[in-house]
Amino acid sequence: MANTKLVIKVTAGADAPERCSQAFTVASVAAASGIEVSLWLTGESAWFALPGKAAEFALPHAAPLPDLMETIQGSGRITLCTQCAARRDITQEDVLEGVRIAGAQVFVGEIMEEGVQAVVY
């Protein structure tokens, strides 16, 4: 399992809070377990790339998104979808430190690597 990478694409934000929280929780648990994690923010989850936005998200009985994101960034990577960012007028200068903006070509490259598991929420 040490050679396994987990790529998670989260497509939901505050519009589907349980699905959103599940994606961040799974990514965080995997990262804390030593698995290399790449979390992709797409659709409404794109807003969480901005400072302070994750702290606005609340779901009963769920860990706070800022804590989950910190765990993920500690050993993995968070990427904001290029098109999703553009549709929301988000630029690289706007996002949290350590968050990159990249597109479908990079996503496909990641999920096609040997030993990768990809999950979409």
Side-chain angles (χ1 to χ4, degrees):
M1 180 129 74
N3 294 337
T4 301
K5 178 178 178 180
L6 180 61
V7 178
I8 296 178
K9 180 182 274 195
V10 55
T11 62
D15 58 325
E18 287 183 307
R19 188 164 27 115
C20 174
S21 179
Q22 289 169 0
F24 281 90
T25 300
V26 169
S28 177
V29 168
S33 300
I35 296 170
E36 182 183 353
V37 173
S38 177
L39 179 70
W40 283 73
L41 304 176
T42 68
E44 286 301 297
S45 72
W47 296 113
F48 299 130
L50 297 175
K53 289 294 185 177
E56 295 173 7
F57 180 88
L59 181 66
H61 309 290
L65 281 192
D67 294 350
L68 298 176
M69 290 178 71
E70 184 177 320
T71 300
I72 296 161
Q73 284 188 299
S75 62
R77 163 172 265 156
I78 297 177
T79 304
L80 171 58
C81 161
T82 301
Q83 291 180 357
C84 301
R87 281 190 281 274
R88 291 162 179 81
D89 294 320
I90 299 171
T91 67
Q92 187 65 56
E93 292 76 34
D94 299 324
V95 300
L96 294 163
E97 185 177 337
V99 173
R100 71 173 173 174
I101 297 178
Q105 182 178 2
V106 175
F107 178 77
V108 170
E110 282 191 17
I111 64 172
M112 295 308 294
E113 292 172 10
E114 180 121 5
V116 172
Q117 290 288 318
V119 180
V120 177
Y121 284 91

